[in-house]
Amino acid sequence: KAGRGVITASVELKPPPYALDALEPLMSRQTFEFHWGKHHRAYVDNLNKQIAGTELDSKTLEEIILVTYNKGDFLPPFNNAAQAWNHQFFWESLKPGGGGQPSGELLESINKDFGSFEAFVKEFKTAAATQFGSGWAWLVLNPRPSEDGKKLSVLKSPNAINPLVLDYYPLLTLDVWEHAYYLDFQNRRPDYISTFLEKLVSWEAVSARLDAAKVKAA
Amino acid sequence: STRSFQCRRSRKRDLKKGVIKASVELKPPPYALDALEPVMSRETFEYHWGKHHRAYVDNLNKQIAGTELDTKTLEEIILLTYNKGDFLPPFNNAAQAWNHEFFWESLKPGGGGQPSGELSRLIDRDFGSFEAFINKFKTAAATQFGCGWAWLVYKANRLDVGNAVNPRPSQDDKKLLVVKSPNAINPLIWDYSPLLTIDVWEHAYYLDYENRRADYISTFVEKLVCWEAVSARLDAAKAKAAEREAREEEARNGESDEQSGSEKNMQLYFD
């Protein structure tokens, strides 16, 4: 703000990288109008109110998440900050005409760490289906060497928690809060999960994230 | 029994093995599925009761079949499988089965308004006023992040230490509280008596209210809550607390009788 010579930042609500009706009929325009237009917008607006005029105001969204996670004893902005991040990451994990299979290095890594693409899909579907209550399922890169040499893992997390707080690099996520699928699938979470994998996931985004993560981890 | 909430159990005798097996039943709500239109639609009931609640019951029955849990009441199953927070697998299904039946019975067509009688007196005593209680309840329901429930409960003021007992229990130190809980957890595990609940999982309100949880909560309070059920549960909770205290008093007297018995014998000699 020019008046005081202080730079304050606020988190922005970016639109998804496609029109709100671009994923019809699998993820309807109506869902986007609520999920992005109300839920995601509320997380961003409420976070901005919470951080205005505080030292968090000058930090990046990822920094805010890590600071307010506070070893699990969340400071008030955590839920809003993490949910703002999670939702943007989720929109960017989808694309019209998505699905199919990954390729190149990503596919190689998946085959290496899960045995096969099918085995990965099974593990991801199980994580997404068994996250009781609200939460997210993830594919992540673990930058620290593990005993079995595995770098990629599937995780699930409750409510707003995301793998950044575990020091992992998120590569892909699926929102399994009921608001993500209730208008289009009602209680049929397994159908929503299958549809996500078969027709919505943007493997290009996942590959790009893997490249970026490997650079950072090196 | 003084409890107004009954978990109906059907006992199927497995004739070949001569074993009695029990299973948890999916009771319908005490009103037609469209009776709460338009504030809670028939469509919502078809999913919420017909799919979600039914799945908890069906999955629980699969989990407990042939195990020792098979012979226990639903409340016993919940308390056992809570396992001090390290839930055994049936916990989520058992607690959700209980929670949903308790929820349907907390609603009625033409509900809302105000409580009366003893319930009203205790609300005023413990919250200051009905309005103050409603504010607390609405806040709990609105701020339960993610999935969960908000509750009005009756706390019998049992001390937390195992062998300590409230030496002069009176009605005044038992109180009403508002609490909220995540996911499947319910106040039975804290040894409270639940009196009223609202389901704030998104599936409870999304078809009728989308993201507008606050509107759903207000509508629940103004038009759906069945105060008669809450009053009946309060009566049952007080009776249960009194019965428990009487049993504990007896047990204490039994112990002290043993101790003073030898003194009495000595006195006889001195006579």
Side-chain angles (χ1 to χ4, degrees):
Chain A
K1 292 180 190 156
R4 285 192 258 159
V6 168
I7 299 176
T8 54
S10 67
V11 175
E12 225 183 286
L13 177 70
K14 285 172 64 174
Y18 36 77
L20 297 192
D21 61 0
L23 307 189
E24 288 269 10
L26 311 164
M27 190 176 281
S28 63
R29 175 195 188 87
Q30 195 199 14
T31 286
F32 271 100
E33 280 171 355
F34 285 101
H35 199 181
W36 173 77
K38 308 270 182 181
H39 289 275
H40 186 183
R41 187 185 302 277
Y43 291 128
V44 170
D45 289 350
N46 289 333
L47 175 64
N48 285 330
K49 285 181 205 153
Q50 282 173 311
I51 66 175
T54 74
E55 58 184 15
L56 292 176
D57 212 344
S58 55
K59 296 192 185 307
T60 64
L61 186 52
E62 288 197 22
E63 288 169 337
I64 295 171
I65 290 169
L66 294 173
V67 165
T68 58
Y69 176 68
N70 196 34
K71 301 186 190 173
D73 186 18
F74 312 156
L75 304 180
F78 175 78
N79 283 333
N80 288 321
Q83 286 291 83
W85 192 97
N86 296 341
H87 281 88
Q88 186 169 316
F89 190 81
F90 178 48
W91 309 138
E92 293 170 359
S93 301
L94 312 172
K95 71 167 197 177
Q101 296 224 2
S103 58
E105 229 182 289
L106 174 59
L107 181 59
E108 270 176 45
S109 297
I110 286 177
N111 285 334
K112 176 171 171 291
D113 289 342
F114 292 95
S116 66
F117 178 64
E118 287 67 35
F120 154 71
V121 164
K122 194 159 178 232
E123 211 177 308
F124 190 88
K125 283 184 170 185
T126 300
T130 58
Q131 177 50 48
F132 187 74
S134 304
W136 303 77
W138 305 85
L139 173 65
V140 301
L141 175 76
N142 180 356
R144 290 167 297 285
S146 64
E147 282 176 9
D148 53 11
K150 273 188 63 175
K151 292 209 157 270
L152 297 185
S153 301
V154 162
L155 298 178
K156 61 190 183 192
S157 62
N159 293 348
I161 292 189
N162 68 34
L164 295 174
V165 308
L166 299 169
D167 232 3
Y168 291 156
Y169 293 103
L171 303 180
L172 174 66
T173 195
L174 174 62
D175 187 350
V176 292
W177 281 64
E178 288 175 328
H179 66 235
Y181 59 92
Y182 219 79
L183 296 176
D184 297 327
F185 294 88
Q186 293 84 59
N187 62 307
R188 291 170 290 118
R189 194 196 284 193
D191 288 349
Y192 162 68
I193 296 167
S194 294
T195 301
F196 167 79
L197 284 167
E198 288 161 26
K199 303 191 184 172
L200 289 173
V201 63
S202 168
W203 290 117
E204 292 80 13
V206 183
S207 284
R209 291 159 176 171
L210 178 60
D211 289 344
K214 283 182 163 173
V215 165
K216 275 199 222 167
Chain B
S1 161
T2 52
R3 299 189 73 76
S4 63
F5 165 72
Q6 288 289 351
C7 166
R8 191 186 300 154
R9 302 189 57 82
S10 63
R11 311 191 84 84
K12 299 172 207 156
R13 187 177 287 277
D14 184 330
L15 291 174
K16 292 189 206 134
K17 290 194 242 167
V19 168
I20 299 175
K21 294 202 246 181
S23 67
V24 173
E25 223 180 288
L26 177 71
K27 281 171 68 177
Y31 36 77
L33 297 190
D34 63 358
L36 307 189
E37 289 267 10
V39 292
M40 192 176 281
S41 63
R42 176 198 185 84
E43 199 194 1
T44 287
F45 271 99
E46 280 171 355
Y47 286 104
H48 199 180
W49 173 75
K51 309 269 183 184
H52 290 275
H53 185 182
R54 186 185 301 276
Y56 292 127
V57 169
D58 290 349
N59 290 333
L60 175 65
N61 284 331
K62 284 181 206 154
Q63 282 174 311
I64 66 176
T67 74
E68 57 184 18
L69 292 176
D70 210 346
T71 57
K72 299 198 183 300
T73 65
L74 186 52
E75 290 197 20
E76 288 169 337
I77 296 173
I78 291 169
L79 294 173
L80 277 170
T81 58
Y82 176 68
N83 195 32
K84 300 184 191 175
D86 186 17
F87 313 157
L88 303 179
F91 175 78
N92 283 333
N93 288 323
Q96 286 290 82
W98 192 97
N99 296 341
H100 281 88
E101 190 168 337
F102 191 81
F103 179 49
W104 310 136
E105 294 171 353
S106 299
L107 313 173
K108 70 167 196 176
Q114 298 222 3
S116 58
E118 180 67 1
L119 174 59
S120 179
R121 184 185 79 79
L122 286 184
I123 285 176
D124 287 347
R125 185 196 73 176
D126 293 339
F127 295 101
S129 66
F130 178 66
E131 288 68 32
F133 154 67
I134 289 297
N135 267 341
K136 265 208 146 120
F137 186 83
K138 284 183 168 184
T139 301
T143 58
Q144 176 52 49
F145 187 72
C147 300
W149 305 76
W151 307 82
L152 173 66
V153 302
Y154 179 76
K155 177 177 196 244
N157 195 29
R158 300 172 63 71
L159 300 180
D160 288 332
V161 180
N163 61 355
V165 177
N166 186 348
R168 276 190 286 279
S170 82
Q171 290 308 310
D172 285 340
D173 50 30
K174 300 177 181 61
K175 47 171 62 100
L176 298 182
L177 293 177
V178 163
V179 295
K180 63 190 182 193
S181 59
N183 293 347
I185 291 190
N186 70 35
L188 294 174
I189 58 142
W190 299 316
D191 207 21
Y192 295 161
S193 292
L195 304 181
L196 173 66
T197 197
I198 182 172
D199 187 349
V200 291
W201 282 62
E202 286 173 329
H203 66 236
Y205 59 91
Y206 219 79
L207 296 178
D208 296 327
Y209 296 88
E210 298 106 6
N211 63 309
R212 293 170 292 117
R213 193 196 282 193
D215 288 349
Y216 160 67
I217 296 166
S218 292
T219 302
F220 168 87
V221 166
E222 289 162 23
K223 301 193 181 173
L224 287 173
V225 66
C226 177
W227 291 114
E228 294 82 8
V230 183
S231 283
R233 291 159 175 172
L234 175 62
D235 289 344
K238 290 171 95 180
K240 181 179 166 200
E243 191 195 339
R244 212 185 208 177
E245 278 163 17
R247 269 183 304 171
E248 284 167 358
E249 179 76 15
E250 258 183 61
R252 280 199 302 279
N253 289 341
E255 282 170 17
S256 61
D257 274 348
E258 281 168 19
Q259 285 171 352
S260 60
S262 52
E263 288 171 16
K264 281 186 199 157
N265 289 337
M266 285 171 68
Q267 284 179 352
L268 284 174
Y269 289 122
F270 293 147
D271 278 346

